[in-house]
Amino acid sequence: MHIPDGYLGPQTTIPAFAVMAPVWGTAFRRTKAVLQKAGVPTLALCSSFSFLVMMFNVPVAGGSSAHAVGAVLIAILLGPWSAVISVSTALLIQALVFGDGGVLAFGVNCFNMAFVMPFSGFLVFKLLRGKSETFGTRGLAAAFAGSYFGLNAAALCAALEFGIQPLLFRGANGAPLYCPYPISVSVPSMMFAHGLVAGPIEGLITVGAIAYLARYAPHFFQQRQSGPNRSEGLLRGYRSLLLPVVVLAVLTPLGLLAAGTAWGEWSAEEIKEQLGFIPQGFAGISDWWHALLPDYSLPALGDGRLGSAAGYLLSAGVGVILIAALILLTSRITAKGTGEPK
Amino acid sequence: MTQPPNQLPELPQWMTEPQTPPPQTAGRTRLHFLRGTMRHIAELFENDLSSEKYARLPLYLQSVDARAKTIAFLFFIVFGSLVNSAPALLSLAAVPLLYASVSGLKLRSFVRRVWGLVPLLAFLFALPGASSLLTQGKPLLIIIPADAPGFSNGLYFSAAGLWSAARIGLRTGISLSFAALLLLTTRWSSLTGGLAAMRVPALLISVLNMAYRYLFVMARTALELMQARFLRSCGKLGTSLNRRFMGHSAAFLFLKSHYLSEEIYSAMCCRGYSGRPAGFQQRKMTANDAVFLFAAALIFLILLAEELLF
């Protein structure tokens, strides 16, 4: 369920950060109020725990194995707000250290696994458990159902995020720019795998862990505090940062309604249409480039597919050589600047 | 064992009996989940070791401030997710390799780490969607001809379809490359220090730093749990039994983390912790950082030119 970069457009991934920013802010405020000064080590160790649980390969019938997420387990044990922080931190370390989940997709992954999953799972758990004990039969059944539901809710969100990509982002030739699967494909395929395999596994791991704690550390459930104190004003310091992000997030879909070429990708004809003339410099560069590579193909190989492919590769090669020269030059300047041996 | 049993009174009888090898069950002991978990945890240590090794080298990227690298690489990742032309994406994919080579990273292992699995999988997963089932166009690679029974329209890949799948793989690889490059050339403390200087809340930085540090303590415990189970297992074990073991391991780790956090908190209090995380002393940006940022800006302009011209 860790979405890598490349499947989702930035118009989806960047607004996800805007959605998550107030969630993270509130989560820090709420957990700080509950855990008091001991908040930092508790959250840090919970994050480490969350990271390791996601590394666990859990056996599945038939000899295969699947990964657990553990977000609902943490939500049941420490509360959903703690789960937001723990799972988000674990996801950030995973994205940087292992490349599990993209850097740009970090906000979306957090939305799915660190927000939707613990909250929806915890809600189902609370509803089904009622006033019973967490480690009683009803409590364990509720934990199973909550974990199953939470994981599937997160999977559904991921499937919808995948599924809207081909609806929103297509190139001029009609080919999808990001994930090619529409909702009619992404939702059934994701829900089938998660409903049948990953969901029950997640539920069984949660139940196994709670049953173990109930047997060997029952005092843990008695010690747990409930009803976090409300405190205010944490987001006030970041209001200046949040407001433009929220405005941008709201305005982002407007670009989808606009007809015409993307900004900066105008052809000479389109510029002439807009301005009434073609700037001399633009016309000069355009002519020079087209003289070098007419129709972006290599003249020696003709204007067929081979020539076109060679032209693209040549252009990429020229770009890479220029970039390599720049990197080499600056690395030498930097080495001289630091006085370090190369 | 030639010693008589009466000389080992404290050992149970089954331990003194000669061990017979367990019967082979179709060549598989069904302990792959333990091997997989141990391999994942071992990779964590391996990553940290290689990170420390490369981040210490006095070379190009290592001497650049973490903030400058973070900003430039994030910019490249965002740019990579926006561009569509082949030359721009291919050139952008080469940028981290060039940076890696001048920063002393072993190119082969870097390429294997970054491009070896995830981008390849991203490309393969996107392939069915890139076929004529979902992306039509002028056929380039015909898999099933149009007149084949059951496939009235046939099955083929168009150039546009194949490129859309390749683009997903490239974008995934580019993002992974820059993230790996940042981690391999920057010490974790400098990285989070850079984030702190970029006004990321100090509380989050503290949690991130402590989580990363104690991750290895916890990982060692998890590894020992798995190793102990692995060494004591033989023959075929039931799937439900194995699943229960993983559930219990998760609970044990949770308890361990809970108690460890209490100990850490007590230790922090002994050292005068007041509940407010201490800030980082970030070094000032130098001329080297300016040179790096200037070069990154020029690289961006080259890539932008490629994107606009194609």
Side-chain angles (χ1 to χ4, degrees):
Chain A
M1 211 194 300
H2 292 65
I3 302 174
D5 282 341
Y7 271 99
L8 305 180
Q11 295 90 336
T12 312
T13 53
I14 292 172
F17 283 99
V19 171
M20 280 308 292
V23 176
W24 285 321
T26 314
F28 266 113
R29 193 181 65 206
R30 300 290 286 266
T31 47
K32 211 174 158 187
V34 174
L35 302 167
Q36 306 294 327
K37 283 196 293 181
V40 172
T42 307
L43 288 176
L45 270 293
C46 258
S47 305
S48 307
F49 165 72
S50 172
F51 184 99
L52 286 169
V53 166
M54 286 192 225
M55 281 183 142
F56 278 15
N57 283 37
V58 185
V60 179
S64 182
S65 63
H67 286 275
V69 176
V72 182
L73 173 63
I74 299 173
I76 292 171
L77 295 175
L78 288 177
W81 291 110
S82 298
V84 171
I85 304 292
S86 307
V87 180
S88 298
T89 311
L91 287 173
L92 182 60
I93 299 175
Q94 278 189 332
L96 288 172
V97 178
F98 277 110
D100 277 351
V103 175
L104 277 185
F106 172 66
V108 174
N109 283 326
C110 284
F111 177 77
N112 299 340
M113 284 185 276
F115 177 55
V116 172
M117 184 173 171
F119 272 95
S120 60
F122 188 67
L123 188 72
V124 169
F125 164 73
K126 289 271 277 184
L127 280 173
L128 293 181
R129 187 194 61 173
K131 288 180 181 174
S132 319
E133 296 284 355
T134 301
F135 45 83
T137 312
R138 187 173 165 183
L140 290 175
F144 179 88
S147 298
Y148 180 87
F149 184 82
L151 188 86
N152 279 286
L156 180 65
C157 285
L160 291 173
E161 287 147 11
F162 283 134
I164 58 169
Q165 300 305 307
L167 291 175
L168 300 178
F169 313 111
R170 282 188 180 271
N173 53 6
L177 293 176
Y178 301 99
C179 178
Y181 302 108
I183 289 174
S184 58
V185 177
S186 66
V187 170
S189 54
M190 284 285 282
M191 298 322 292
F192 181 75
H194 286 84
L196 214 63
V197 182
I201 289 296
E202 187 75 30
L204 288 172
I205 285 293
T206 305
V207 167
I210 290 176
Y212 179 92
L213 288 172
R215 186 166 179 186
Y216 296 104
H219 56 279
F220 183 81
F221 292 99
Q222 289 147 18
Q223 277 175 358
R224 265 210 63 199
Q225 296 179 41
S226 60
N229 299 322
R230 289 182 71 84
S231 57
E232 289 161 11
L234 190 133
L235 292 179
R236 203 172 292 156
Y238 294 92
R239 195 167 51 191
S240 56
L241 175 74
L242 280 177
L243 272 177
V245 177
V246 171
V247 171
L248 276 176
V250 170
L251 292 179
T252 302
L254 291 180
L256 303 169
L257 304 175
T261 316
W263 189 88
E265 294 187 21
W266 311 291
S267 63
E269 288 73 26
E270 279 169 315
I271 286 179
K272 191 179 179 185
E273 197 176 299
Q274 295 287 327
L275 298 177
F277 67 97
I278 303 172
Q280 203 177 349
F282 186 92
I285 292 173
S286 183
D287 290 346
W288 170 78
W289 188 260
H290 280 93
L292 198 68
L293 290 174
D295 292 329
Y296 309 122
S297 65
L298 209 58
L301 294 171
D303 57 356
R305 196 162 275 150
L306 186 64
S308 186
Y312 274 105
L313 283 176
L314 181 71
S315 314
V318 170
V320 170
I321 289 167
L322 281 173
I323 292 164
L326 257 172
I327 290 174
L328 269 174
L329 185 72
T330 48
S331 75
R332 284 187 185 275
I333 293 171
T334 310
K336 273 186 189 170
T338 50
E340 300 284 4
K342 263 216 75 168
Chain B
M1 268 307 179
T2 52
Q3 290 171 314
N6 59 1
Q7 286 190 5
L8 297 166
E10 65 275 29
L11 288 178
Q13 194 184 352
W14 64 269
M15 287 188 83
T16 60
E17 287 170 357
Q19 196 179 7
T20 50
Q24 293 293 313
T25 52
R28 248 185 123 167
T29 52
R30 306 246 176 191
L31 293 174
H32 56 284
F33 70 99
L34 286 176
R35 280 196 215 99
T37 309
M38 287 192 287
R39 196 184 63 241
H40 275 119
I41 297 173
E43 278 171 5
L44 178 70
F45 289 106
E46 196 185 313
N47 270 332
D48 188 54
L49 282 174
S50 61
S51 245
E52 282 290 320
K53 183 180 131 193
Y54 289 121
R56 233 183 294 161
L57 296 174
L59 292 173
Y60 183 37
L61 283 182
Q62 289 86 341
S63 60
V64 176
D65 189 278
R67 282 168 293 180
K69 277 187 284 189
T70 308
I71 290 168
F73 290 173
L74 267 179
F75 198 80
F76 281 131
I77 292 174
V78 173
F79 183 68
S81 71
L82 286 167
V83 294
N84 293 315
S85 86
L89 269 175
L90 289 171
S91 301
L92 186 57
V95 172
L97 301 179
L98 294 165
Y99 274 133
S101 64
V102 294
S103 304
L105 271 65
K106 280 185 183 161
L107 265 187
R108 185 181 285 184
S109 61
F110 182 75
V111 169
R112 201 173 53 225
R113 172 181 171 153
V114 170
W115 292 96
L117 183 68
V118 182
L120 205 64
L121 284 179
F123 171 71
L124 291 175
F125 283 137
L127 264 186
S131 71
S132 58
L133 292 173
L134 292 173
T135 311
Q136 284 82 29
K138 195 177 169 187
L140 178 75
L141 186 68
I142 295 171
I143 309 294
I144 300 172
D147 51 355
F151 281 86
S152 56
N153 296 322
L155 184 69
Y156 65 87
F157 286 100
S158 63
L162 276 178
W163 172 237
S164 73
R167 199 164 40 206
I168 288 175
L170 272 171
R171 280 180 180 145
T172 306
I174 287 166
S175 170
L176 273 177
S177 303
F178 281 112
L181 203 57
L182 186 64
L183 191 80
L184 287 171
T185 60
T186 319
R187 283 168 184 262
W188 184 263
S189 55
S190 308
L191 189 66
T192 49
L195 290 176
M198 288 159 71
R199 325 243 342 141
V200 173
L203 187 67
L204 176 63
I205 300 295
S206 300
V207 170
L208 201 55
N209 272 330
M210 205 178 274
Y212 189 70
R213 187 47 52 213
Y214 284 96
L215 179 61
F216 296 97
V217 178
M218 299 281 292
R220 183 167 291 282
T221 307
L223 191 63
E224 283 168 0
L225 273 173
M226 300 300 144
Q227 281 171 342
R229 176 73 172 192
F230 186 76
L231 292 171
R232 282 164 176 77
S233 301
C234 56
K236 189 176 173 181
L237 296 170
T239 308
S240 60
L241 198 67
N242 286 331
R243 261 200 304 264
R244 200 163 59 196
F245 166 73
M246 294 309 270
H248 289 180
S249 299
F252 177 77
L253 271 185
F254 178 79
L255 276 182
K256 181 92 180 166
S257 73
H258 189 68
Y259 294 133
L260 196 57
S261 74
E262 284 176 357
E263 283 177 19
I264 293 164
Y265 176 62
S266 301
M268 285 162 74
C269 287
C270 287
R271 289 168 176 80
Y273 177 66
S274 63
R276 295 181 67 181
F280 286 88
Q281 283 291 324
Q282 188 66 26
R283 74 175 177 97
K284 285 184 177 170
M285 297 278 256
T286 61
N288 276 348
D289 306 323
V291 169
F292 167 79
L293 284 174
F294 181 67
L298 286 179
I299 292 169
F300 167 69
L301 287 177
I302 294 170
L303 297 168
L304 188 65
E306 286 184 323
E307 170 69 5
L308 293 179
L309 289 168
F310 292 94

